[in-house]
Amino acid sequence: MHAVNPALLTMVAATVVGLLAQVIAARWRIPSIVPLLVFGMVLGPSGANFIRPQDLGTGLSVVVKLSVAVILFQGALNLRLGDLRNTLREVRSLVTIGVAVTWVGATLAAWFIAGLTLRVAIVFGALLTVTGPTVVQPILRRVRLPRQLKTILEGEAILIDPIGAVLAVAVVDVVLGLAGVRPIGILGSIWGYAGRLIVGAIVGASAGLLLSWLLKRRGLIPDELSNLVSLASVWGAYALAEVLQGESGIMAVVAMGLTMQHGAVPEERRLRKFKEQLTVLGISLLFVLLSANLPLGVVRAEGMRGLLTVAVLMFIVRPVSVWCALHRTDLTWRDRAFISWISPRGVVAASVASLFALELTEAGFPEGERILALTFLTIAATVVVQGLTAGPVARLLRLESFAGRNVVLVGAGPMARAIAGVLRRYDRPVTLIDRNAMLVDDARDAGFDAVAGNALDEEVLSAAGTEDAETVIAMTTNSEVNALAAHLAHDGFGVAGTYPALANPEHGASAQLLDRVGGDLAFGRPIDVREWDFAFAHGAARIVVFRIPAGIDERPRLSELPTTMVSIARVRARSIEIATSSQTWRGDDHVVVATTLSETDATETLHELTAGRYVDIDAP
């Protein structure tokens, strides 16, 4: 056999193993970092010695920095500025007061419990102030949270990475300066922190504005090259910031991503998709390589003191920092409790810790590798525990809600407008799409956002904000269009719940297709939208809401409704979601029903089925 460059084998092996871990995580519905860490440690030099990061030499740090640049840019690009403005006070407090309290708390835990020297403990405390979008966003995608709460956690994760990472780098500069390894003064210490943030913000914002301007000039950059030009620009901004001020590249790519949103870039959705794929690849490579580079003997040596340090970080330091930062806000105690629970550490903590371990060891600090071990223990514990329990904790705190989550309605006929009105009453933003300009005008006259166009056109779906939607309901009078629109929203835009209304699911929509577009029919059974539109347009149909009395066991109800009634949605704890055949009703649920019966007859029918009683549609 021919000799092969060991660096090539390491990169290929890390890529293959990393993507295999992503597939396993998706199939098992677990955080991807869990199998990534396991594979890296098992296959690294401390295990099977199959993946050898040391073979990359200085190339490892290059791979880490370029991957981090793409990951943080994509995270900032996905953070909606409009939502961030509404939660700016809370996010600002978390990335200032919260960072300060976390730094102090983590330092004390590392000093008193882990037994690190004070100088090294201060470095560890600064490093552990970060959370990170690479671990927070996947967790939040699996939990139905109110939009405000989700935005606060995402905003903190994205903005705290550069702030915490730059803080940690500045602290290392001071520690090494005091040790006589590097020259450092008071002004140099201040500039080491503020200067990196300022230079990074200026370079990133400038690069974002320039790239936005270039992409908006039709024909200047060919469409097939726009994504690659964007990637080169991100790396270019990162490198330029690093040249001007060391370790300012992280701030530059975050600022660039936020600026790109403001620039209203054409084909932004495709750019996001491209960067998301690169992010998955980058995360896969980084966690496999960095965990493989971790000496397992050092991790095992931490033993109970390491686990106790991590427990203090999770159960004491994080809650105290959150409550100090948010005690004067309008958030409820439940909101603050959930934010206190979600603080997983991610790729920035891992990459910076790897850098610090080497620098501190070379500078004569024997505890350098202990920082790396404690950081990976924290990453593993927080990701596994918080990732697996986020859903149950949200349910325990009664926070699961669709409030604020966007709904796109394909179709703007009378029935769709009636359903949009109900959704709006329960704080679900709604946008309607229709090819019929008159129906679009009627929707706008009723106060709804509406887009004129064909829902099978990606540009039209994008204009309606489908990439930010939680739910897409396709309910035109054409069943085939409904199935195709739901399919496009699910596969092309990644919408979690896509539900087509079908008159006859045996024609034009197989069971397999329905599973791909959301798993079920809208409203739980076939309906003829044309007939219902006619009924609503002529006042023969109405929306009524019934409350199921307390004590009713949870079980399916849709199959029991007569053909003169269609279950539209279920409201549970003020959270409304579209009815499907798998949905169940229980005591104290409010059921939204469309019916052609009179109010009296509808009341009697539902009372016979559920012992439920009629309530006003605006009832809480």
Side-chain angles (χ1 to χ4, degrees):
M1 296 179 64
H2 295 286
V4 180
N5 188 325
L8 172 64
L9 292 178
T10 294
M11 284 295 295
V12 172
T15 301
V16 172
V17 169
L19 292 178
L20 175 61
Q22 292 282 358
V23 172
I24 292 174
R27 296 287 296 177
W28 291 357
R29 298 182 181 273
I30 60 174
S32 61
I33 292 179
V34 176
L36 287 170
L37 290 176
V38 171
F39 283 176
M41 290 186 286
V42 170
L43 299 177
S46 297
N49 200 28
F50 181 64
I51 297 175
R52 300 169 53 84
Q54 63 267 30
D55 290 340
L56 298 177
T58 58
L60 177 60
S61 64
V62 174
V63 172
V64 169
K65 290 183 176 182
L66 293 181
S67 299
V68 167
V70 174
I71 290 166
L72 293 184
F73 173 78
Q74 190 265 338
L77 191 65
N78 281 340
L79 180 63
R80 288 300 181 184
L81 292 179
D83 293 340
L84 182 60
R85 292 188 192 100
N86 296 329
T87 58
L88 189 59
R89 179 185 176 190
E90 292 82 3
V91 173
R92 183 176 60 239
S93 295
L94 286 170
V95 300
T96 52
I97 299 172
V99 165
V101 175
T102 301
W103 185 13
V104 173
T107 297
L108 294 175
W111 187 22
F112 287 110
I113 300 174
L116 297 178
T117 61
L118 181 58
R119 289 183 181 180
V120 177
I122 291 173
V123 173
F124 177 76
L127 173 62
L128 265 290
T129 58
V130 302
T131 54
T134 59
V135 283
V136 170
Q137 288 177 333
I139 290 175
L140 297 182
R141 275 197 290 268
R142 297 196 301 272
V143 185
R144 296 170 178 174
L145 293 174
R147 192 180 185 110
Q148 179 193 30
L149 190 56
K150 181 174 180 287
T151 302
I152 290 172
L153 285 165
E154 287 186 334
E156 178 201 17
I158 291 167
L159 297 179
I160 210 170
D161 263 358
I163 292 173
V166 170
L167 172 65
V169 171
V171 170
V172 167
D173 286 344
V174 173
V175 168
L176 295 181
L178 293 175
V181 178
R182 295 178 184 172
I184 191 73
I186 296 177
L187 292 179
S189 301
I190 296 174
W191 179 248
Y193 182 64
R196 288 181 171 102
L197 294 179
I198 293 171
V199 170
I202 292 174
V203 171
S206 301
L209 291 173
L210 177 59
L211 182 58
S212 297
W213 183 84
L214 291 173
L215 293 177
K216 285 190 287 188
R217 294 299 177 273
R218 294 289 183 182
L220 183 61
I221 298 176
D223 291 341
E224 63 270 19
L225 294 178
S226 59
N227 284 337
L228 295 176
V229 170
S230 300
L231 175 62
S233 300
V234 171
W235 283 343
Y238 183 92
L240 177 59
E242 292 284 306
V243 169
L244 296 177
Q245 181 70 29
E247 307 302 333
S248 63
I250 290 178
M251 185 66 208
V253 293
V254 171
M256 186 176 180
L258 295 174
T259 305
M260 288 284 289
Q261 292 190 46
H262 185 70
V265 178
E267 301 289 342
E268 184 179 323
R269 188 184 66 81
R270 293 184 181 178
L271 175 61
R272 290 173 190 269
K273 199 75 174 177
F274 177 63
K275 290 297 188 290
E276 285 173 3
Q277 293 171 343
L278 288 179
T279 294
V280 172
L281 178 60
I283 291 172
S284 304
L285 268 176
L286 284 185
F287 274 106
V288 169
L289 290 174
L290 294 178
S291 58
N293 205 36
L294 178 66
L296 292 184
V298 178
V299 178
R300 286 193 294 267
E302 293 300 322
M304 287 303 300
R305 65 180 179 178
L307 294 176
L308 184 58
T309 302
V310 174
V312 169
L313 291 173
M314 292 174 61
F315 302 120
I316 298 178
V317 175
R318 174 62 175 180
V320 170
S321 69
V322 169
W323 285 82
C324 288
L326 301 178
H327 75 283
R328 292 185 177 179
T329 65
D330 295 330
L331 295 176
T332 67
W333 72 265
R334 289 185 173 88
D335 295 331
R336 282 176 281 184
F338 188 79
I339 294 172
S340 298
W341 183 244
I342 301 299
S343 61
R345 271 61 177 190
V347 67
V348 170
S351 59
V352 176
S354 299
L355 172 66
F356 288 174
L358 179 61
E359 289 188 351
L360 291 173
T361 301
E362 291 177 349
F365 290 86
E367 298 167 309
E369 284 192 339
R370 289 197 61 200
I371 279 189
L372 186 61
L374 286 170
T375 300
F376 270 85
L377 271 177
T378 306
I379 291 172
T382 54
V383 169
V384 172
V385 174
Q386 296 170 2
L388 297 178
T389 61
V393 169
R395 287 190 291 273
L396 180 65
L397 294 171
R398 288 182 282 178
L399 287 175
E400 280 202 320
S401 172
F402 283 103
R405 300 295 188 93
N406 291 3
V407 178
V408 173
L409 275 172
V410 179
M415 185 182 187
R417 297 197 301 272
I419 293 173
V422 175
L423 293 169
R424 183 167 60 182
R425 286 187 178 93
Y426 289 94
D427 300 322
R428 298 291 301 274
V430 182
T431 302
L432 297 95
I433 303 173
D434 207 296
R435 296 179 63 179
N436 189 319
M438 292 181 61
L439 293 179
V440 170
D441 289 340
D442 289 341
R444 290 172 178 167
D445 290 342
F448 298 109
D449 291 331
V451 175
N454 187 345
L456 301 183
D457 185 339
E458 289 189 4
E459 293 299 320
V460 173
L461 286 174
S462 182
T466 305
E467 62 267 22
D468 294 323
E470 176 75 24
T471 305
V472 171
I473 309 164
M475 50 180 306
T476 71
T477 56
N478 188 318
S479 294
E480 286 73 20
V481 169
N482 294 341
L484 291 173
H487 188 187
L488 179 58
H490 183 271
D491 284 9
F493 289 81
V495 180
T498 49
Y499 306 106
L502 304 177
N504 189 346
E506 283 76 28
H507 294 88
S510 65
Q512 291 80 4
L513 177 58
L514 287 177
D515 183 64
R516 289 189 64 190
V517 303
D520 217 332
L521 288 172
F523 318 127
R525 72 179 189 206
I527 68 167
D528 190 326
V529 175
R530 191 183 304 275
E531 290 183 359
W532 281 97
D533 272 349
F534 182 86
F536 271 98
H538 292 81
R542 60 195 54 80
I543 297 286
V544 295
V545 180
F546 285 79
R547 185 181 69 83
I548 308 300
I552 298 294
D553 294 334
E554 187 162 351
R555 61 190 181 91
R557 300 283 179 177
L558 293 178
S559 60
E560 303 173 11
L561 292 178
T563 57
T564 52
M565 307 181 80
V566 174
S567 180
I568 300 300
R570 181 193 68 192
V571 182
R572 180 171 290 174
R574 284 293 298 175
S575 177
I576 188 170
E577 56 182 311
I578 295 300
T580 64
S581 62
S582 60
Q583 191 178 87
T584 58
W585 301 349
R586 71 184 184 199
D588 290 328
D589 283 347
H590 285 69
V591 182
V592 183
V593 175
T595 181
T596 54
L597 297 174
S598 67
E599 183 178 304
T600 302
D601 292 341
T603 301
E604 291 178 356
T605 300
L606 279 170
H607 182 76
E608 291 175 1
L609 292 175
T610 65
R613 66 178 182 84
Y614 172 78
V615 297
D616 186 82
I617 196 169
D618 293 316

